[in-house]
Amino acid sequence: MIDSPGILDDVGVATAAVRAGADVVRELYGQRLDRIDKGGGDFATTADVAAEKAILGVLRTARPDDAVLGEEGGQQGAARAARQWLVDPLCGTLNYAVGNLLVAVNVALRGGAAAVADPFSGEVFCTDGEAAWARQDDVDTRLAPTPATHLVDVNLDPPFPSAPGFRAVDLLAHPDFMARFRPRVVSTSLALAWVAAGKRAAYVTDGGDLSGSVHFASGIALCRAAGCVVSGVDGAPVGQGGRGLVVAADGETHGVLMAMIGGRGAGPSDR
């Protein structure tokens, strides 16, 4: 709950919101949960719905005039509101449903502050749109991307709109990939926060324009503020017609991955 919403800035609201969602995710972990079929093999659980409800409670209290786009509840609030929050209450639902702890809670103000919570480690990754940091036990640590791990997280979940021009499985089969990197598949956008924090060297996923996606907006904001190199798999800037994501800790890693993806250079990426 927010006792004095007026004292919270946007990053404070985002942080409070993801913590509220993370509390629900932890509380319901391991319980028998109903599944809500979304079609195409996708589903939500009652934990997704309950976590989104907790997040919305924070946002409505702190920013009652703002609109919200939620993964489960869709568009809420004034259609013409100047500000919109993007909410993914449980990214990694399949992981969660089978007892895997790799999940994230994502809340982002479109074009502004954002936060990502790891419900089980207790870490909250935050950005005010300029700087980015991790908060644990009320201690803040500035995020410092580095390619030192050589771990590249690749999203292998469908759909694959860029195939056959780009297929993540082809990237993993590239003869130079295993010589330089080691693949990881965590199946949650928590991996984007890990790139910003130096726990991953890069993250790659197919998709359309993901800049306004409830799944990816928070992670993209974190990575940009931390100084990562961000582009689509086609090399175009995200949010300007780019497709999917290639997010790397540094320009060299980004360039190497882009060269493996169809033989292109780094292209007009942004930081």
Side-chain angles (χ1 to χ4, degrees):
M1 297 295 293
I2 299 177
D3 296 324
S4 302
I7 68 172
L8 289 177
D9 58 10
D10 286 336
V11 70
V13 172
T15 300
V18 294
R19 281 180 164 168
D23 287 346
V24 173
V25 170
R26 278 195 310 276
E27 179 182 353
L28 296 181
Y29 177 73
Q31 298 185 26
R32 184 182 296 275
L33 301 172
D34 292 335
R35 295 192 180 191
I36 304 160
D37 184 26
K38 295 183 175 182
D42 191 16
F43 64 91
T45 71
T46 47
D48 298 68
V49 176
E52 182 164 304
K53 182 178 179 181
I55 292 167
L56 290 176
V58 173
L59 296 179
R60 286 169 178 160
T61 300
R63 299 292 188 270
D65 296 328
D66 292 355
V68 177
L69 177 62
E71 164 74 0
E72 309 309 330
Q75 179 71 41
Q76 301 182 48
R80 297 184 179 181
R83 291 158 44 100
Q84 182 186 52
W85 294 88
L86 305 171
V87 175
D88 184 358
L90 179 50
C91 187
T93 298
L94 179 56
N95 286 348
Y96 184 80
V98 300
N100 188 317
L101 302 182
L102 293 173
V103 300
V105 178
N106 301 320
V107 173
L109 176 64
R110 189 184 289 273
V116 176
D118 181 339
F120 298 105
S121 75
E123 280 186 297
V124 179
F125 304 90
C126 315
T127 178
D128 57 6
E130 297 181 2
W133 60 93
R135 177 171 296 169
Q136 187 159 31
D137 299 326
D138 294 323
V139 175
D140 291 347
T141 304
R142 189 74 172 258
L143 296 183
T146 172
T149 65
H150 300 289
L151 300 177
V152 175
D153 218 288
V154 180
N155 181 13
L156 298 178
D157 293 335
F160 308 116
S162 297
F166 167 76
R167 296 188 301 181
V169 292
D170 292 337
L171 175 63
L172 298 182
H174 193 287
D176 294 331
F177 186 89
M178 291 300 293
R180 183 176 181 114
F181 303 114
R182 289 293 180 268
R184 290 293 184 271
V185 181
V186 302
S187 297
T188 168
S189 59
L190 180 62
L192 274 172
W194 287 352
V195 177
K199 299 179 181 182
R200 291 288 190 268
Y203 176 86
V204 180
T205 184
D206 197 359
D209 175 6
L210 301 180
S211 60
S213 164
V214 297
H215 303 292
F216 294 101
S218 293
I220 292 171
L222 280 172
C223 288
R224 282 175 166 161
C228 299
V229 182
V230 182
S231 78
V233 295
D234 53 2
V238 175
Q240 300 179 28
R243 299 184 62 80
L245 282 174
V246 179
V247 179
D250 66 340
E252 180 184 1
T253 301
H254 185 269
V256 169
L257 287 169
M258 291 305 301
M260 293 178 186
I261 299 173
R264 294 186 296 276
S269 58
D270 65 276
R271 297 188 70 91

